[in-house]
Structures are given as C-alpha cells and as structure tokens.
Amino acid sequence: MVDTIVVGAGIAGITAARLLHTAGQRVLVLEARDRVGGRIWTDRTAGFPVDRGASWIHGVTGNPLMGVVTALGMETREFTVGSFQAGGRPIADYDESRRLLDDDATRQWATDVDTADGLFQRTVAASGPDESYATAAERTLAATGWDAERVERVRAFYRHRTEEQCGAEADRVAAHALDEDTIEGEEVIFPGGYDVLPRALAQGLDVRLGRTVTAVGRSARGVRVDTEDESFEAARAIVTVPLGVLKAGAITFTPALPDAVAGPIARLGMGVFNKVFLQFPERFWQDDVYAIRQHGRAGVPWHSWYDVSAVSGKPMLLTFAGGAWGQEIEQKTDEEVVSSVVGALRKIYGNSVPEPVAHWITRWGSDPLARGSYSYVAVGSSHDDHDAMAEPVDGVLHFAGEATCGREPATVHGALQSGHRVAEQILGSRISLAELTQGVTPSR
Ligand SMILES: Cc1cc2nc3c(=O)[nH]c(=O)nc-3n(C[C@H](O)[C@H](O)[C@H](O)COP(=O)(O)OP(=O)(O)OC[C@H]3O[C@@H](n4cnc5c(N)ncnc54)[C@H](O)[C@@H]3O)c2cc1C
C-alpha cells in the first residue's frame, strides 16, 4: 500500500506527487493517457514543437511558475498578447470594412477598450452571482454614450474575450468571471515546447500510464482506486482530472461526494477553446505584428490570428475557436475548418493568400480525458466554488487541478499552485516551491 495515489499526470498531479515524493512519501500516479502533461501537450510530429494545449505563461511577474521554469533552464520568448489584449503590442487591426486602422484609429480603439473596462469594473462590482458577463457588458456599453459602430466594436471584443478566456459565450459566464484575470508583467511562450515542464518534473516518479481510473472508494482506513483492470489502495487520493471529466461522472465516488464538493462541480462551467495552427509556404502578412485582428461583426467566426512563426521557425499563424464555435468546429472535417479560416484571411489579405502546407486542429471538447479546455465561473457560481472543491473529503480524498484554484483558474500556474496547496494540506506544513525542481534535469 502506498501513502498517496494521484489520479492524473497533468501539472497539478505531477506537482503534488513530486512534492510528496521529495518529502519521503510513497506516491503512485495513475494517468489514463500514454503521456504526462494532460492539457500541456506538445506535438512534435512535424519535427518542431506545436503546443496543442497551453502555450503561455500569462504574466511572469510574481508568478511561481516562472521560478520553476527558470530553475529548469527552459527557453522563453516574450509574446504579450495571449490574454486577448486590445493594445500594448503591435496588432494589425482591421475595421468592419476590412480596412487597416491607422495609428490614430488604433490608439483610439485601445483607449475605447480601456475606458469601457474601467466602467465595466464598476458595473461588475455592483453585480451579484446571477448576472451574466453579457448583461454587465450591455449595461456598460449603454453608459458610454458612443455611436452604434463604436459600441458594436467593443461589444464584439467582449464577446470574443469570454470565448477565449473562458471557452464560453458571454451569456453563460458570470459577470465576475474574469475578476482574477489580471496579467502582471510580460507573457512568454516556449520555443522548445511547454511539455518540457511536466516531463522534467515527472522524472523519478512512479507514473503508470494508460491507467484509466473508473472509481474511487473511501473509508476511515483510506481509499481504494479502481482502474479498468486493477485496484490500488492507499491512505489517501488526490484526484486531479479535469472538471469536465468530473461533471460527466466518468469516475464513480463511493460514498457519493458531499454537496460541499458536488455543488461547485455542478455549478462551475467547463469551456471549450480550440486552436487552429496553419503553416504557410510563405508570409503574406505584416512582418512586425504580434497579431492580426478583425473587428466587429466581420470577425465572426474568425477574428484573431497570432504570428507564431518565431516559435516554429516556419511562416505560421495560430487562431482560436472558443465557446459555441469551438464546439461546432469539432464536428467539422479538418478540410472544412482550414478552408473556413483561409477564407477569412483572404477577405482581409486577398485571394493571393496561399493554401497552407500543414495544419493542426485541436478538439478538446470531444477528448474524453478533458471534456473541455478549462473551467470558468458560470452564471450562478463564484470563484469560491473553485476553492471549495479543494476542501478535503473525510480527510482521505483531495481534489486539485486548475478548476480548484479560485485565484488563477484555467491556467498552468493555477494548476501548479493547486498541486502545491494539496501537498501542503497533506503534509500539514509549508513547502518551498524550490523543492519541486531539486534533483531534476530538464528533458528536451
Ligand atoms: C487549448 C488550450 C490552451 C490553453 N492555453 C493556456 C495558456 O496559454 N496558458 C495557461 O496558463 N493555461 C492554458 N490552458 C490551460 C492549462 O492547460 C490548464 O489549466 C492546465 O494544464 C491544467 O492542468 P491540470 O493538471 O489541472 O489538468 P490536466 O492537465 O488536464 O491533467 C489532468 C490529467 O488527468 C488525466 N485523466 C483524465 N481522466 C482520467 C481518468 N479517469 N483516470 C486517470 N487519468 C485521467 C488526463 O489525461 C490528464 O493528464 C490551456 C488549455 C487548453 C486546452
């Protein structure tokens, strides 16, 4: 019998397992996939890394993840545009008629978003858990007194913001959902691929791949964890599977989970956010931009493209599909998705836009081991619901993962902090995060 069984080898599970292992516990990690990392997933089939899951550290200042990444010697590149900003870095903005905004119009646009955001924060401060992001946005826009076109541009931006940051439509997302979504300092991405992080931290741990957990039973003596064909016993378990997997009831808990945990699981939302990478034979877009953005109604369904050429070393654009559109593309063939994205780019850049030479399309909503991309505060829930999930059940069952981190849900650093927190909970003492990288050599 081991001390702790960790279910799921994403960054939360690996962090908890490593800290407990370093503290002298016998730890077993059960992971259904044939790899570690979960929603950190670097596809290297083309000979260069393509991050199909997380790409960014959203704000390096004061971020504990940055310390871990630095200790592992991981190469980073500044790319401060990963949180759906309107300004701050060069963006080629196109208006409703697909004309490039000049410098003055671009500045005005960024100022409009700042002004609206200031008003929006005041609206949200006065809203309860049952108000949606969409209604708070409408109340804000009505207060601006701007003309219809100016309002529509910011309205579309707000809609896209929840689709990207929450993976859900603004009318499903709580007005307070993005309260925590502040970026401190620059954002960075990983030219060598994000998966270096979980692979390095998993070194030396007993991680059993290909083990799908189907049931977790608990008693005063500890836990019994069943996979499809084996059972394991331990003093306790830490379940780190995504919220979507818990919501789907893919793991049976006996006895049933108490309301204190089952309630938040039911109330919080699991969003869908997919990525489409297109590699082109040559560049046809501006040299010096971080992103290309189509404003207003013309930005439906594709509105933002990120120039990731510097990461792959190839002419490459990344675009996103979040919320209902993110779900819809999962039903389409690759050819349909690619032709739809290329069609939108041709409306901006003309028919000379070449056919892509390669593409990568994710389908996180239909992935049975994720059932979505990340959690969000749905109408009727609150950030406290995230943290409530992390309260131990009967002293032997713990939950961790991005969905359990009220301060930073839906992020890699939130997942990492949840793994750190649960390890401290179990050991009953503070642990320095510096211990996480002790004795680890970066695997490339
Ligand atoms: C497309 C996309 C883009 C993103 N971009 C960013 C970004 O740029 N920056 C950022 O900070 N965050 C981003 N995120 C969010 C980030 O990836 C996640 O918050 C984080 O990786 C979650 O880690 P976790 O350990 O909580 O969960 P996971 O990584 O999902 O780990 C849970 C593990 O449990 C396993 N599992 C599931 N069911 C079972 C079962 N029954 N038995 C055993 N194992 C099981 C899964 O296979 C998985 O490995 C993105 C996510 C997606 C999908």
Side-chain angles (χ1 to χ4, degrees), residues 51 76 125 134 140 153 160 166 208 278 288 316 318 343 356 412 428:
D51 272 312
T76 59
T140 302
R153 212 188 275 186
H160 298 324
C166 306
R208 316 254 175 108
L278 296 182
D288 49 357
M316 202 145 142
L318 162 64
V412 173

Side-chain angles (χ1 to χ4, degrees), residues 6-14 30-41 51-58 63 65 82 187-189 194 208 210-215 226-227 240-243 245-246 250-251 270-271 273-275 320 362 364 367-370 372-375 400-404 408-416 418:
V6 177
V7 183
I11 198 67
I14 291 291
L30 300 173
E31 166 56 52
R33 299 185 197 271
D34 61 1
R35 60 174 177 84
V36 300
R39 282 170 280 170
I40 296 176
W41 177 20
D51 272 312
R52 301 178 72 109
S55 297
W56 273 272
I57 296 186
H58 294 304
N63 190 328
L65 174 58
E187 292 175 279
V188 296
I189 52 176
Y194 220 141
R208 316 254 175 108
R211 306 295 209 288
T212 303
V213 169
T214 53
D226 297 337
T227 67
T240 73
V241 303
L243 178 69
V245 172
L246 294 173
I251 298 177
M270 186 68 178
F273 169 80
N274 280 310
K275 290 182 160 181
F320 300 133
T362 68
W364 286 99
D367 179 335
L369 301 175
S373 303
Y374 30 73
S375 63
E402 58 83 12
T404 70
E408 310 275 2
T411 62
V412 173
H413 54 278
L416 178 110
S418 78

Side-chain angles (χ1 to χ4, degrees), residues 96-342:
E96 190 78 29
S97 324
R98 301 194 167 88
R99 277 189 308 259
L100 186 63
L101 300 193
D102 62 21
D103 288 350
D104 285 347
T106 304
R107 259 192 302 276
Q108 182 61 55
W109 155 242
T111 307
D112 277 2
V113 171
D114 275 352
T115 307
D117 275 350
L119 290 170
F120 189 75
Q121 274 169 20
R122 287 206 285 280
T123 313
V124 169
S127 355
D130 291 329
E131 180 159 17
S132 74
Y133 201 89
T135 54
E138 283 311 314
R139 286 207 283 133
T140 302
L141 292 171
T144 59
W146 293 338
D147 66 41
E149 195 196 326
R150 211 165 155 197
V151 163
E152 179 52 33
R153 212 188 275 186
V154 178
R155 177 185 287 127
F157 185 77
Y158 277 161
R159 264 202 311 268
H160 298 324
R161 185 187 268 167
T162 65
E163 287 161 10
E164 294 213 348
Q165 304 296 90
C166 306
E169 310 303 302
D171 58 356
R172 294 183 165 232
V173 172
H176 281 282
L178 294 175
D179 286 359
E180 90 298 342
D181 196 38
T182 50
I183 303 301
E184 304 295 340
E186 292 179 338
E187 292 175 279
V188 296
I189 52 176
F190 298 94
Y194 220 141
D195 71 343
V196 171
L197 173 72
R199 289 195 290 119
L201 297 180
Q203 280 169 26
L205 298 179
D206 185 357
V207 181
R208 316 254 175 108
L209 299 175
R211 306 295 209 288
T212 303
V213 169
T214 53
V216 177
R218 62 185 191 280
S219 69
R221 281 178 289 112
V223 294
R224 179 189 141 123
V225 177
D226 297 337
T227 67
E228 278 155 343
D229 31 46
E230 283 166 288
S231 287
F232 302 89
E233 293 192 346
R236 67 190 69 78
I238 307 172
V239 175
T240 73
V241 303
L243 178 69
V245 172
L246 294 173
K247 278 171 129 17
I251 298 177
T252 305
F253 292 93
T254 312
L257 293 175
D259 285 349
V261 174
I265 291 173
R267 281 191 295 275
L268 290 167
M270 186 68 178
V272 172
F273 169 80
N274 280 310
K275 290 182 160 181
V276 181
F277 292 88
L278 296 182
Q279 183 191 336
F280 291 95
E282 71 261 1
R283 260 182 112 79
F284 54 84
W285 61 95
Q286 296 85 338
D287 266 338
D288 49 357
V289 294
Y290 279 48
I292 300 152
R293 189 159 287 145
Q294 173 62 64
H295 289 217
R297 291 181 202 86
V300 176
W302 307 105
H303 51 81
S304 301
W305 292 266
Y306 299 86
D307 185 352
V308 288
S309 314
V311 183
S312 55
K314 319 275 177 201
M316 202 145 142
L317 291 175
L318 162 64
T319 188
F320 300 133
W325 179 238
Q327 289 174 340
E328 212 175 311
I329 68 155
E330 298 201 13
Q331 311 310 318
K332 296 183 185 298
T333 62
D334 280 18
E335 291 65 34
E336 286 170 331
V337 175
V338 170
S339 117
S340 170
V341 181
V342 171

Side-chain angles (χ1 to χ4, degrees), residues 4-42:
T4 303
I5 293 174
V6 177
V7 183
I11 198 67
I14 291 291
T15 298
R18 175 146 221 102
L19 291 173
L20 293 173
H21 169 82
T22 305
Q25 282 208 353
R26 288 158 302 161
V27 184
L28 173 63
V29 185
L30 300 173
E31 166 56 52
R33 299 185 197 271
D34 61 1
R35 60 174 177 84
V36 300
R39 282 170 280 170
I40 296 176
W41 177 20
T42 308

